[in-house]
Amino acid sequence: MIYPIAVTGLTYFQLKSRLHSQLLEEIDLESLDRLEEPIKRERVTQTLRTMLEREKAPLAQSEREQVMREILDELFGLGPLEPFLADPTVSDILVNGPHDIYVERRGLLEKTSAGFTDTQHLMGIIDRIVSRVGRRVDESSPMVDARLADGSRVNAIIPPLSLDGPILSIRRFGRYPLTQDHLLINKTITSSMLAFLEACVKGKLNVLISGGTGAGKTTLLNVLSGFIPENERVVTIEDAAELQLKQDHVVRLETRPPNIEGKGAVRQRQLVTNALRMRPDRIIVGEVRGEEAVDMLQAMNTGHEGSLTTIHANNPRDALLRLETMVSMANLNLPEKAIRQQIASAINVIVQIVRLTDGSRKISTITEVTGMEGPTVTAQDLFVFERQGYDPDMRVRGRFRSTGIRTRFSEKLIAAGIQLDPGWFFPENA
């Protein structure tokens, strides 16, 4: 929004730019960096108030506060993105060049009136984000994955790969991670299904969470990881660290991209291999997307039961096919049947989560892998979500139900001291 300022002949934007430049000349940024954040912000705020009084610009108090807030956001935050980061209803922030910013609220996209001054302004914010986690983005490395301090996932891609200027995508994590109670309130899952998944995690079944982009795989992984007992050592492996485990004994590992010389990269597969030497009780891989799948399956099959991971797939059958493809990427020349046997032996349960057209998330199926029949990996659905059209507000209607099939892992869970409620598996329940 532009405010005319008659006395000085400056627009609101010009005044803000001039104040920003003067502030950088008047304060010692190096000495400020040694101070704690609240003290730092207070000193800059006092300096800004003094500068505004010198300007004698006819601004209302609310306009003065807005000028100071926006300059503080530029200095200490992410500029025009700060209001969206402070809004708990925003789950995604999508920047398509300096002048187009979209946000997702409650599963639906909307365009905002916010924008950056120019491409250089946007690039400065991107550099600030990626440098904080020891990464870089430039013409020689025009794509980068990073994270914010709250764990929110960041992806940036710049020219020459993006044709319309720098592109920034932020997948937000709220200040307070979603819990199992939130999943129940939002009707993403039922209490019976959640109790069954809790039994699977505590009983050390290997769980694969499958879904599309933005479906809520990482959120569900965070919730399920909360069922891991406190006395177990957990090692997490991620491309960009975003898991928020509550246990005390957690070792967090993160991949590293190559340096400016193209050397020093550390891939997920190397971290999975190293994790096996760290005496883990559980290994959690944020997402399998390549050749590390073979090491993950090996870990699951060689004593590291109860592992959790996610995968991009449209349904449980596609998830199994993608795993098979990713194992083939390791170039181990394994026979097709041997790969499928590894998968059938390693993966116990597949949880499919979907984002529906109204923006809501649902656990569409909970499927158990039952083994092999000939050359085929076999599986059966235990719980499903059946869509039943739309209500008058165009919200998706449907119901969860059990298929009536009892899990074949009942004996293993009972041996682990976990009792299954037969009522969970009645066809009319879920």
Side-chain angles (χ1 to χ4, degrees), residues 276-347:
L276 299 176
R277 306 184 182 114
M278 300 174 68
R279 198 260 175 220
D281 290 305
R282 310 258 186 160
I283 297 176
I284 298 179
V285 178
E287 180 185 338
V288 287
R289 62 183 74 185
E291 58 187 18
E292 70 275 3
V294 67
D295 298 287
M296 185 70 201
L297 294 176
Q298 293 275 12
M300 291 176 173
N301 277 324
T302 53
H304 297 91
E305 298 174 307
S307 296
L308 304 169
T309 189
T310 71
I311 191 171
H312 275 84
N314 294 325
N315 54 60
R317 175 55 60 184
D318 284 349
L320 294 172
L321 291 174
R322 278 211 69 208
L323 267 180
E324 186 177 334
T325 301
M326 288 187 288
V327 172
S328 301
M329 292 166 61
N331 294 322
L332 298 179
N333 297 318
L334 293 173
E336 188 177 83
K337 185 175 181 181
I339 294 175
R340 292 176 180 175
Q341 286 174 333
Q342 284 278 331
I343 294 172
S345 177
I347 303 299

Side-chain angles (χ1 to χ4, degrees), residues 194-205 227 229 232 282 406-407 409-422 424-425:
L194 188 61
F196 172 72
L197 291 178
E198 179 179 359
C200 291
V201 174
K202 289 183 175 178
K204 288 201 165 187
L205 298 186
F227 298 135
E232 295 188 14
R282 310 258 186 160
R406 288 287 299 270
T407 173
F409 296 110
S410 297
E411 292 183 3
K412 181 177 179 179
L413 295 176
I414 292 171
I418 297 167
Q419 295 297 321
L420 299 180
D421 184 347
W424 298 343
F425 304 100

Side-chain angles (χ1 to χ4, degrees), residues 30 46 67 75 96 173 195 251 270 292 342 350 361 414:
E30 287 188 10
Q46 291 295 340
V67 169
L75 281 176
N96 302 341
F173 275 13
V251 178
Q270 295 168 270
E292 70 275 3
Q342 284 278 331
I350 302 173
R361 276 81 168 174
I414 292 171

Side-chain angles (χ1 to χ4, degrees), residues 224-230 232 234 245-250:
L224 296 187
S225 68
F227 298 135
I228 297 174
E230 285 284 348
E232 295 188 14
V234 183
L245 273 63
K246 294 293 183 281
Q247 289 83 353
D248 290 331
H249 200 164
V250 176

